Amino acid sequence: MFIKEIKKKDTHSKLKYTYHRLVESYRTPKGPRHRNVLNLGHLDLPRSEWKDLANRIEEITKGMEPLFPVSEAVETLAKHYAKLLSEKTINTSALIEESVKAEYYDVDINSIKNENLRSIGAEHVVHSYYEKIGMDKIFKELGLSKRDRSLSEILIANRLIAPGSEKHAHEWMLERSGMKDLLGFQDGNTGLSSFYRVMDRIYEHKEEIEEKLSKNQKELFELKESLILYDLTNTFFEGRKYDEKITFGRSKEKRSDCRLITLGMTIDEDGFLKKSRFFAGNVSEPSTLRQILEENKKDTKPTLIIDAGIATDENIKLIKEMGYNYICVSRTKPKEEVDEDSLIVIKSDDKNKVEAKLIEENGETFLFCKSALRESKERSMLEKFRKKFEEGLDYIKEGLTKKHGIKSYERVIERIGRLKERSHGIHQLYEIDIKKDEKGRTTELSYKFLEKETVLKRYSGTYYLRTNRKDLDESSLWHLYITLTGIEDSFRTLKDELSLRPVFHRKTARIEAHLFIALLAYQVLNAIRHTLRQKGYTLKWKTLREKLATHSIMTTSMKTRDKKKILLRHCSEPDYQ
């Protein structure tokens, strides 16, 4: 073997490039020939050491000790390239099926080594469903090369198995995962920039990819798509310089110190993503609906389910004009008062009891709901808010008796005002009395909790649903609305199991491309979960991938009696059933 230097010139930029190949000579009837063994990339090594490197690579691959000592740099490079060469030439048939032909060798058992251990269990499951929902086929139709399709699958699989940044995905591919074995991907010189490039290219076809995936999933899983759930969430960024779309806003994670981008999603009743859209971080929830409705136009209109944040009167009017049915939490109450003694029990178990009653008004149906579990949660919130508000008042009160405490009447009033702003409206339940002396100093502060029925009703576990459908009874309407928890579960999955946040990119296009990879990973995950649910399994993906982590692929090497080296790339037996 020897190393050959290749020089090329870019015809457009006129730049010159130099890279190196490991080459070997072989004889043919027409004379000696050269063939490429391995692309080495650009080799930063003195020419005088090239032959030493080539010889050492050959020695390592054959399991031989070095005949002559080499430099540390040569030894390090030789081990790296020998590993790449082994991965390229190794027998991987054991990944597919057991060999049908038995082979026997006399081997030295003391020479047996297991190395290059990589996870393969979760990778195999993800790869199977990636193929099942037709994602690779879609990318092929969009013109992506085999190499780019492999990189795309590795990016998406990384979000499912070991979620992180593109840099993290690159390291995961090289050091911890068996995805390269699974895909037959042998490009060991793939750099981080390749991941960015393929991610950007995928995002260029976002609309087409979502449309094709939605169609594939509907046919594959026989989805009804009678309901469409729509909601928004946002994610925050670490850094400072961003495009205009990345703005400060109300953070779902309470990260008011970070800029945000908003993600809007529509999913069906089975959790399958239909459409997604990215908005500015400070977007108003109600203003996003028109665009989403127009993008989901169909001949048969499904019922749209939204929460109170989007269900303004203007949006309800828009939904009607576009021919949709709707179910939402009502922002207003009907005029008719509800007699709670006439409520119908629509759910009753150890966890919760829900009572309800239908009310017809102005061509719409309202459903008054009372939930014991919700009441318990709201009362707990009330006590939490009360405690925090009273602690604030006590802190101000203590300052009146301290040596350097704030005693100025105007300052005390100002501090109480700021405390009220953060009290979630609890201050309405308090009577606060402040006294001052002739010098304008506060001498006394006292407060009293008032049981105001109108305010306490906010924490009684009651709410109204609103719909234009006339074919639903109390139980059916409530259970349809509860499916909205499906999109909340989807957001939790994206943020918790697929690490949607935080984001470290700066340009909007790259940020949205990064988030879109997470959405594609969600598409694969929901297909897996849908199949498991149909078979009665409700395991979380985090739990499942931990079980799958016991399945690995490794390289086993051994020496035969006649000093030959055998290399086998094979899978372990998994511990899960």
Side-chain angles (χ1 to χ4, degrees), residues 359-373:
I359 301 170
E360 301 288 337
E361 187 171 293
N362 298 328
E364 289 183 305
T365 299
F366 291 84
L367 181 69
F368 175 82
C369 303
K370 184 174 183 179
S371 166
L373 181 61

Side-chain angles (χ1 to χ4, degrees), residues 142-236:
L142 294 174
L144 271 69
S145 66
K146 173 62 177 173
R147 179 177 181 274
D148 283 352
R149 297 203 308 276
S150 295
L151 290 174
S152 302
E153 184 170 349
I154 290 169
L155 264 176
I156 293 167
N158 171 255
R159 288 299 185 88
L160 283 155
I161 302 166
S165 64
E166 287 71 40
K167 182 176 183 295
H168 175 272
H170 182 253
E171 294 170 352
W172 174 78
M173 174 192 74
L174 295 176
E175 301 172 6
R176 297 188 295 280
S177 174
M179 280 301 296
K180 291 201 300 179
D181 297 273
L182 204 58
L183 301 176
F185 185 68
Q186 297 179 343
D187 191 347
N189 294 320
T190 299
L192 179 57
S193 59
S194 297
F195 280 88
Y196 291 132
R197 179 180 55 79
V198 76
M199 182 175 70
D200 293 342
R201 190 170 178 197
I202 290 172
Y203 186 64
E204 290 174 3
H205 302 280
K206 175 181 179 294
E207 309 300 331
E208 190 174 352
I209 291 171
E210 286 186 340
E211 185 176 342
K212 288 177 179 288
L213 276 176
S214 179
K215 182 180 178 182
N216 289 353
Q217 291 163 341
K218 182 178 181 180
E219 295 173 356
L220 182 63
F221 298 106
E222 299 179 351
L223 304 177
K224 297 177 181 179
E225 295 186 342
S226 58
L227 301 176
I228 289 292
L229 291 70
Y230 174 60
D231 204 356
L232 297 99
T233 190
N234 53 41
T235 186
F236 63 89

Side-chain angles (χ1 to χ4, degrees), residues 521-577:
Y522 171 79
Q523 298 270 47
V524 178
L525 175 54
N526 199 64
I528 296 171
R529 293 198 307 182
H530 182 75
T531 304
L532 291 174
R533 283 196 300 265
Q534 289 183 323
K535 296 183 181 296
Y537 295 100
T538 56
L539 286 176
K540 285 189 174 183
W541 173 243
K542 271 187 173 182
T543 305
L544 182 59
R545 71 187 179 198
E546 286 174 3
K547 292 179 178 291
L548 293 168
T550 61
H551 196 186
S552 304
I553 183 172
M554 68 193 77
T555 298
T556 299
S557 64
M558 62 198 81
K559 290 183 181 179
T560 64
R561 185 184 294 276
D562 56 358
K563 304 301 181 183
K564 290 183 180 179
K565 186 177 182 180
I566 297 175
L567 288 174
L568 295 174
R569 188 73 172 157
H570 62 107
C571 292
S572 67
E573 289 294 324
D575 292 342
Y576 57 86
Q577 298 296 324

